[in-house]
Amino acid sequence: MSPSTPLLREANLTEIESLALSSQLNMADGHARQELTEAQRSIIDELPDLFGKAAAQPVDDLEREAHGAYLHLLRQHSYPTGPGGVLTCYSSSVAMEILSRSLAASGGGPVALVHPTFDNIPDLLRGNGLRLLPVEEDVLHHGPVGEAVPEAVRCLFVTTPNNPTGRVLAEERLAAIAAECAARDVVLALDTSFRGFDTRSHYDHYAVLRDSGCRWVVIEDTGKLWATLDLKVGLLAYGDGVGLPLAKIHSDILLGVSPFILVLVTRFAEDAAAGGLTDLHRFVADNRALVRATLADVPGVSFPDVDARVSVERVDLGDRPCLDVWTRLRQGGVYVLPCGQFHWADPARGDRSLRIALARPPGALDAAVRALRAVLLDA
Ligand SMILES: Cc1ncc(COP(=O)(O)O)c(C=O)c1O
């Protein structure tokens, strides 16, 4: 893709992220690219043994172990443990495609989707012919619950914690929304890909969903937490009576993920439970503090997501057009994301903010944010 401004406006976020993949100063995608901790490096040193274990053990056992290690780590103790209640996918996007195709196959009204959010979610839903209605974050999180679930929708889709804002759906609010969905027979779907970073999203969502009696689907993702070179899984969990052909469409697309990746996920989750997750939270908080401190005295710049704990940080640029800033950064080999595309129903609302990835080595992040500071002071 040519990175000229008009094309940049039309590009999706993944196209913009792909421009940065070989850059030393890639602060664009939300994948985990920090250095491994000592404990994680020792897991990598065990890879030949893990490969042997993966080859020797029945895949059902490995899958059960990976689901359990990951979901208990994040305190999702009530996840479905029965056969087929959690479908393992190559990535959360594949889980999202399966959900989108399942919704498309089952007819009905439009899908309500949180606004803003990562653009591949609306893209996959629309790509399957589904009509979307935006639900603003403030409406989703506060005020009459009926307004969070628009009239005549067949599904409400919520990203929590959200990307890029980091907003987390509180337990009481999830319960209220789930009760509303149950009463109106709306499927409630959650993308919790970023939940590992934020303990406020570690309450047991599955217990809340089960107790509400609504039809529900949850997409989980191991890929945002650990720098495993994109060896990751997406999980597609759903309740009894969901009424969507998820398992059938999963089987249209894949037989299963590599048992080797399942073993790796289990080992990283065990390490996280033994203290690695707390260390990761501190690491992300330190990187967020670095970004805020470096830009603190730049006139007009602010940080809209004051409470965010996820591994990305939005920067509001005041009256500076984001695409100008993005283009000048790129000329210096520094990549971030413009925010227009996150506002999938109204891109102009993201025209003056950008998103910086925090799951990066602090030295590289520091260099990138200093370059951003220089561009902003010059703009
Ligand atoms: C909220 C959310 N869900 C899903 C995805 C897709 O993840 P993947 O590219 O690993 O499929 C992303 C990507 O950043 C995301 O931000």
Side-chain angles (χ1 to χ4, degrees):
M1 186 194 76
S2 159
S4 68
T5 299
L7 281 179
L8 192 65
R9 247 179 229 294
E10 281 157 35
N12 66 37
L13 290 167
T14 304
E15 287 175 299
I16 300 171
E17 289 170 355
S18 70
L19 293 171
L21 282 178
S22 299
S23 165
Q24 294 295 308
L25 297 180
N26 166 13
M27 306 300 137
D29 62 68
H31 294 207
R33 303 190 187 282
Q34 68 272 29
E35 279 158 10
L36 295 173
T37 63
E38 213 168 294
Q40 289 171 337
R41 219 169 290 123
S42 70
I43 298 173
I44 299 304
D45 290 341
E46 288 172 43
L47 287 188
D49 291 343
L50 296 184
F51 194 94
K53 174 181 159 78
Q57 221 175 307
V59 76
D60 279 356
D61 291 352
L62 297 175
E63 219 169 0
R64 222 177 356 260
E65 282 175 15
H67 295 169
Y70 186 72
L71 292 165
H72 287 304
L73 166 70
L74 303 180
R75 314 188 74 76
Q76 302 306 302
H77 304 304
S78 303
Y79 73 93
T81 50
V86 179
L87 301 169
T88 313
C89 307
Y90 303 132
S91 67
S92 60
S93 296
V94 171
M96 186 65 214
E97 170 66 7
I98 292 168
L99 171 61
S100 303
R101 281 181 59 183
S102 300
L103 287 167
S106 34
V111 174
L113 172 63
V114 62
H115 187 251
T117 199
F118 189 64
D119 70 346
N120 98 329
I121 297 170
D123 286 349
L124 290 170
L125 290 164
R126 284 171 172 152
N128 282 286
L130 295 160
R131 196 158 68 78
L132 303 184
L133 291 179
V135 179
E136 296 299 329
E137 278 192 317
D138 284 343
V139 174
L140 187 68
H141 290 268
H142 304 289
V145 73
E147 289 176 19
V149 190
E151 279 308 310
V153 297
R154 83 221 359 237
C155 172
L156 170 66
F157 192 102
V158 179
T159 313
T160 175
N162 201 3
N163 175 11
T165 64
R167 276 179 88 164
V168 173
L169 201 58
E171 181 167 4
E172 302 69 39
R173 188 68 175 175
L174 176 63
I177 289 174
E180 182 75 11
C181 287
R184 291 172 37 199
D185 195 28
V186 171
V187 175
L188 179 55
L190 307 179
D191 178 328
T192 60
S193 293
F194 279 85
R195 81 152 98 230
F197 294 104
D198 196 330
T199 50
R200 293 170 299 184
S201 66
H202 292 188
Y203 65 86
D204 189 344
H205 289 49
Y206 295 93
V208 174
L209 293 167
R210 184 197 56 211
D211 293 349
S212 75
C214 77
R215 298 197 284 145
W216 61 266
V217 179
V218 179
I219 293 174
E220 308 267 359
D221 183 1
T222 72
K224 304 294 183 278
L225 278 181
W226 306 307
T228 48
L229 300 178
D230 279 334
L231 296 169
K232 61 188 176 189
V233 296
L235 303 177
L236 183 59
Y238 57 98
D240 293 339
V242 70
L244 296 172
L246 297 163
K248 177 74 178 78
I249 293 177
H250 179 269
S251 76
D252 285 344
I253 296 178
L254 71 158
L255 174 59
V257 305
S258 161
F260 178 65
I261 296 178
L262 294 172
V263 173
L264 197 67
V265 165
T266 302
R267 291 292 291 111
F268 270 72
E270 287 168 352
D271 172 66
L277 193 64
T278 306
D279 292 345
L280 179 63
H281 291 168
R282 201 173 307 120
F283 175 84
V284 171
D286 287 350
N287 274 356
R288 174 169 276 107
L290 183 159
V291 171
R292 292 184 180 180
T294 307
L295 302 177
D297 61 346
V298 179
V301 164
S302 59
F303 305 97
D305 308 312
V306 279
D307 290 333
R309 298 187 195 168
V310 292
S311 61
V312 295
E313 173 79 341
R314 272 195 310 168
V315 181
D316 191 300
L317 305 173
D319 55 8
R320 303 168 183 88
C322 175
L323 294 186
D324 292 356
V325 174
W326 187 91
T327 304
R328 290 192 53 196
L329 280 175
R330 180 177 194 265
Q331 285 159 358
V334 178
Y335 291 84
V336 294
L337 284 187
C339 283
Q341 285 83 340
F342 289 101
H343 294 264
W344 54 269
D346 187 6
R349 278 171 49 192
D351 273 357
R352 285 169 202 271
S353 52
L354 52 78
R355 193 199 77 171
I356 300 177
L358 301 177
R360 297 295 190 269
L365 180 67
D366 186 40
V369 181
R370 280 174 191 281
L372 173 60
R373 176 185 167 81
V375 166
L376 294 174
L377 287 174
D378 194 37

